[in-house]
Amino acid sequence: MNNQDNIKNDQEVPSLNPIYDKLESIINKIEKVLAGELLEKAVKDFEELKKEWDKYCPPDIENDNDILSRYTKACDNFIKQKDWAFWANYKKKEEICSHLNELLKEPVTQGTIDRFSELRNEWKNTGPIPEHDKNNLWKQYRTLCKEIYDRNLEFYKDKEKKKEENLKIKEALCLEIESLTVPEDWNESTNFVIKIQKGWDAIGQVPRDKSDALWERFQNACRDFFKRRKQFYNEIKVLQQENLDKKKELCERVEVLKSSTKWKETSSEIKQIQKEWASIGPVHWKKEKSLWEKFRGACDYFFMAQKMHFDELEKQRPENLKKKEELCVILENLHTIPENEHYGTIIHVQEEWKKIGPVPRDMEDTIWKRFRKPIDLYFEKRTGQQAAAKSSKDHNKVLKENLCIEAEEMSTSSDWRNTTEKFKELQKKWKEIGPAERGEDQALWQRFRTACDAFFDRLNDYREGNKKEKEHNFEQKLDLCIQAEIISGIPLTKEQEEERAQWQLKKLSENFWFKVVDDSDKWEDRAERIKELQREWKEIGPVSSSDSDKIWKRFQKACNYFFDNRRK
């Protein structure tokens, strides 16, 4: 009976093992509840676990000291850790309030505003604190935040005002870029746009609701500008290729002419080609120098050969003087030959005279007067003898023949000033002489006119060449002046600044390359460049008398300014 009762009792009392397993699980969770969890969640989880313990804990649990002791110890440890964490959070929030209080002492800047946001985020991320300290610390925190916020509000107002100002500035810059449809100077405009792009962010922010639209407008303006710039330079490339073809053709023409010995005709033709060259625009800078050197070399080859030819003629002037002196002696001794041979001798001597080249310039007038004196005496005597026998027209014919002979003799003279005056005298005499026979008079006029034109054509060529050479020399010296002024940094007048700007534009269009030293370069390098300019100045020929003194003083002033500043 007793055994049966024991079996019945065993069936009625449930097994304690599942309950103890559950309690063990609760204890393990309590021991781990703070590991890797936020404090607030850990406290909540702890309370839930305690409720779960109370639910499953059997009435006789006190009889099991081991499990109860472990539970009590786990709870005590959690409470200690929780209290410590609450205390740490309190200290941290107290420190945040201290930092907020310090912020109130500082002037409002973007840095203090950012710091304020950081402290507020730090407060939010800090866990709970003890209940008895919670209200006081929260009130302190809210009070400080309100004071800081009120101060920051004025700063934000100023900031928004600044954004509106930045908006106006950036809109004005967009308008400037948009207005650059066909700029006069693409390089200057490109540098301007790039400068704006680099400084765009530095201007500052604009109102947020207009930021995207403004940025898109700015991007479109820049994109359109560089698109037009690309199109412009593509057109320039086409034009430069056309100019290259034209200049190559001129080079070929000069190459053919450079060995010619027809000095007058070839000289005129080459000068005309040089004018054509000057009228053609620039080519690509990589080909400009080599092409110019080829063209200039061919021109220099011809003009050097021409100079050598005329230099050789200069060497023959003393010998020519001797030959003409011998002809003068023949004329001066006409009285030694029969009178009926005088006229034929004079005509022969005049023809020989024409074949002889020029004499030394200081003897041209003397030898010419000596040559003309016996001829004039002869024709004066002959005119007197024939006055009674010949009509007035015959007399005029003789006079005009003499003027033709004299004009033909002077047509090759290089004494430009004196010969010009003599031709004027001859022309005056011609007008004073009456007509010859109709047919003869026309032929004489044509002969006289041809001799005059020959001389004045040569005079015009000389003046034209001399004038252009002086103008070219002036341009070269002006280039050196402006370069010296740039290097020396000499203060300029408004007119000189405008002149420099025009010069730079012109040189840019000609692809002129000029290295200007900057402040980083040594003084010796700049001094060497000034000396190089001075050497180049000495190699350039004269300019017109009206410009000579002025341009020299300007160049010297720039050089002296550079070296005087160095001494100081």
Side-chain angles (χ1 to χ4, degrees):
M1 182 69 179
N2 289 335
N3 291 336
Q4 290 179 351
D5 290 339
N6 289 337
I7 294 171
K8 182 178 180 180
N9 290 335
D10 289 340
Q11 291 175 347
E12 290 176 354
V13 178
S15 173
L16 291 178
N17 290 336
I19 294 175
Y20 275 83
D21 291 342
K22 184 65 177 180
L23 294 178
E24 287 283 351
S25 173
I26 292 171
I27 292 171
N28 291 334
K29 289 180 180 179
I30 292 174
E31 290 174 344
K32 299 176 181 178
V33 73
L34 276 176
E37 291 190 14
L38 294 176
L39 184 58
E40 288 178 297
K41 186 176 184 304
V43 171
K44 184 177 179 181
D45 290 345
F46 176 70
E47 294 298 331
E48 291 294 328
L49 290 171
K50 284 180 68 179
K51 291 178 181 179
E52 193 174 356
W53 172 274
D54 292 339
K55 177 181 177 181
Y56 289 102
C57 182
D60 59 349
I61 189 66
E62 294 180 358
N63 296 329
D64 193 338
N65 290 331
D66 181 51
I67 193 167
L68 182 61
S69 175
R70 285 181 57 205
Y71 170 73
T72 303
K73 183 177 180 182
C75 291
D76 291 342
N77 286 338
F78 174 82
I79 292 170
K80 287 180 182 178
Q81 293 182 49
K82 181 198 75 170
D83 290 343
W84 184 91
F86 273 40
W87 177 84
N89 291 339
Y90 173 80
K91 286 297 182 181
K92 189 171 184 180
K93 288 190 174 183
E94 194 177 48
E95 184 180 3
I96 291 172
C97 288
S98 176
H99 288 316
L100 290 173
N101 195 41
E102 290 295 326
L103 279 182
L104 283 172
K105 300 176 184 178
E106 298 182 19
V108 180
T109 64
Q110 187 60 47
T112 61
I113 291 175
D114 294 340
R115 179 59 178 153
F116 178 52
S117 297
E118 291 173 2
L119 291 173
R120 290 175 66 192
N121 290 330
E122 194 174 342
W123 178 278
K124 291 177 184 179
N125 294 329
T126 303
I129 62 176
E131 285 294 329
H132 58 83
D133 296 319
K134 187 174 182 179
N135 289 336
N136 291 336
L137 193 59
W138 172 250
K139 288 179 181 179
Q140 181 183 358
Y141 171 74
R142 291 303 300 164
T143 301
L144 290 170
C145 285
K146 186 176 184 306
E147 291 182 26
I148 294 174
Y149 178 77
D150 291 341
R151 287 203 325 153
N152 291 348
L153 186 61
E154 196 64 33
F155 177 82
Y156 279 117
K157 289 180 180 179
D158 292 339
K159 190 173 182 181
E160 288 302 316
K161 183 179 179 181
K162 179 62 177 175
K163 286 182 179 181
E164 290 293 338
E165 294 174 357
N166 294 340
L167 176 63
K168 293 179 180 180
I169 295 172
K170 289 189 173 183
E171 285 178 337
L173 292 177
C174 287
L175 185 60
E176 284 197 64
I177 297 175
E178 289 165 350
S179 67
L180 295 174
T181 53
V182 187
E184 295 181 2
D185 187 335
W186 279 98
N187 283 338
E188 182 178 344
S189 298
T190 300
N191 292 335
F192 172 72
V193 173
I194 292 174
K195 183 178 179 181
I196 292 176
Q197 288 177 322
K198 290 181 178 178
W200 181 267
D201 291 336
I203 295 172
Q205 297 177 339
V206 300
R208 181 174 297 177
D209 60 331
K210 298 180 181 179
S211 179
D212 292 341
L214 180 65
W215 174 248
E216 185 176 357
R217 179 184 177 186
F218 176 65
Q219 288 291 84
N220 289 337
C222 294
R223 190 181 301 110
D224 291 343
F225 170 80
F226 285 107
K227 184 178 179 180
R228 292 192 297 273
R229 177 180 178 273
K230 182 178 180 181
Q231 182 179 357
F232 169 78
Y233 279 107
N234 286 338
E235 292 173 357
I236 288 293
K237 287 181 181 179
V238 173
L239 183 60
Q240 287 180 339
Q241 184 59 46
E242 293 175 358
N243 294 339
L244 178 63
D245 295 338
K246 292 178 182 178
K247 288 188 174 183
K248 282 183 176 179
E249 191 269 333
L250 294 182
C251 281
E252 292 172 359
R253 287 171 59 186
V254 175
E255 283 291 332
V256 173
L257 293 171
K258 72 177 185 180
S259 300
S260 173
T261 56
K262 296 179 180 180
W263 307 115
K264 183 176 180 181
E265 297 87 342
T266 307
S267 176
S268 298
E269 189 172 353
I270 289 181
K271 288 177 181 177
Q272 182 59 37
I273 292 175
Q274 289 175 328
K275 290 180 182 179
E276 292 180 35
W277 181 282
S279 67
I280 300 172
V283 302
H284 194 279
W285 64 271
K286 289 184 177 180
K287 298 180 181 179
E288 179 71 33
K289 184 178 180 181
S290 60
L291 191 64
W292 166 248
E293 288 177 350
K294 182 179 180 181
F295 177 76
R296 183 64 181 270
C299 294
D300 290 347
Y301 182 90
F302 168 79
F303 287 113
M304 181 60 69
Q306 184 186 48
K307 182 178 182 299
M308 292 174 63
H309 170 74
F310 285 107
D311 286 348
E312 185 62 29
L313 291 182
E314 287 291 323
K315 295 178 182 179
Q316 296 175 6
R317 284 178 181 266
E319 184 63 27
N320 293 338
L321 177 61
K322 291 180 181 180
K323 293 179 180 179
K324 289 189 174 182
E325 286 175 339
E326 292 174 358
L327 295 179
C328 289
V329 171
I330 294 174
L331 295 177
E332 290 166 351
N333 291 311
L334 282 176
H335 63 278
T336 62
I337 60 175
E339 187 173 347
N340 60 352
E341 297 179 5
H342 287 186
Y343 182 77
T345 302
I346 289 173
I347 298 301
H348 173 72
V349 169
Q350 287 177 331
E351 291 176 352
E352 292 297 319
W353 182 278
K354 294 177 184 179
K355 297 176 183 178
I356 302 172
V359 301
R361 290 182 175 83
D362 59 341
M363 292 298 296
E364 282 182 342
D365 192 55
T366 301
I367 194 65
W368 173 250
K369 288 179 179 179
R370 182 181 174 185
F371 175 71
R372 287 304 306 170
K373 183 176 180 181
I375 295 176
D376 291 343
L377 289 174
Y378 169 78
F379 282 107
E380 286 174 5
K381 181 179 178 182
R382 183 181 181 188
T383 300
Q385 292 173 348
Q386 295 176 347
K390 293 188 176 182
S391 66
S392 177
K393 289 185 178 181
D394 290 338
H395 176 66
N396 292 339
K397 174 186 176 182
V398 172
L399 294 177
K400 289 187 175 182
E401 283 180 339
N402 290 338
L403 293 181
C404 285
I405 293 171
E406 191 170 353
E408 288 167 347
E409 292 295 335
M410 293 191 302
S411 66
T412 59
S413 173
S414 298
D415 185 7
W416 307 110
R417 182 177 296 179
N418 292 331
T419 307
T420 300
E421 294 300 322
K422 290 176 183 178
F423 265 103
K424 290 180 180 179
E425 292 176 5
L426 292 183
Q427 291 170 336
K428 183 178 179 182
K429 288 181 181 179
W430 186 279
K431 293 178 181 179
E432 294 173 352
I433 300 172
E437 292 293 339
R438 180 177 296 178
E440 294 176 338
D441 193 68
Q442 186 64 31
L444 287 170
W445 165 247
Q446 188 63 40
R447 178 182 174 188
F448 180 75
R449 180 64 182 270
T450 299
C452 292
D453 289 346
F455 171 78
F456 285 107
D457 285 345
R458 291 177 57 247
L459 176 61
N460 288 335
D461 288 344
Y462 170 78
R463 285 176 175 171
E464 183 67 23
N466 195 38
K467 178 183 177 182
K468 289 184 177 179
E469 182 179 356
K470 287 183 178 180
E471 289 175 350
H472 179 65
N473 292 342
F474 179 80
E475 290 180 0
Q476 288 181 307
K477 288 189 175 182
L478 180 61
D479 287 350
L480 298 184
C481 275
I482 294 176
Q483 293 180 46
E485 289 169 351
I486 293 173
I487 296 173
S488 66
I490 187 172
L492 301 178
T493 64
K494 184 176 180 180
E495 292 181 354
Q496 288 174 332
E497 288 178 347
E498 293 176 352
E499 182 185 41
R500 178 192 290 183
Q502 292 297 323
W503 177 84
Q504 290 173 326
L505 287 174
K506 179 182 177 184
K507 293 303 176 185
L508 187 63
S509 66
E510 296 172 353
N511 291 315
F512 177 81
W513 183 83
F514 166 54
K515 179 182 186 301
V516 179
V517 291
D518 54 34
D519 293 337
S520 64
D521 290 313
K522 294 182 179 178
W523 183 88
E524 291 78 3
D525 296 334
R526 288 186 280 172
E528 184 57 34
R529 180 60 185 140
I530 289 289
K531 292 177 182 178
E532 182 180 349
L533 295 179
Q534 291 174 330
R535 289 193 292 271
E536 292 178 17
W537 183 281
K538 293 178 181 179
E539 295 175 359
I540 300 173
V543 301
S544 63
S545 57
S546 61
D547 296 323
S548 179
D549 187 60
K550 181 180 178 181
I551 194 70
W552 165 246
K553 287 181 178 179
R554 180 175 173 181
F555 179 74
Q556 192 68 12
K557 182 179 179 182
C559 296
N560 290 342
Y561 182 88
F562 175 81
F563 290 106
D564 289 345
N565 281 349
R566 175 59 178 173
R567 296 187 191 100
K568 292 178 184 179

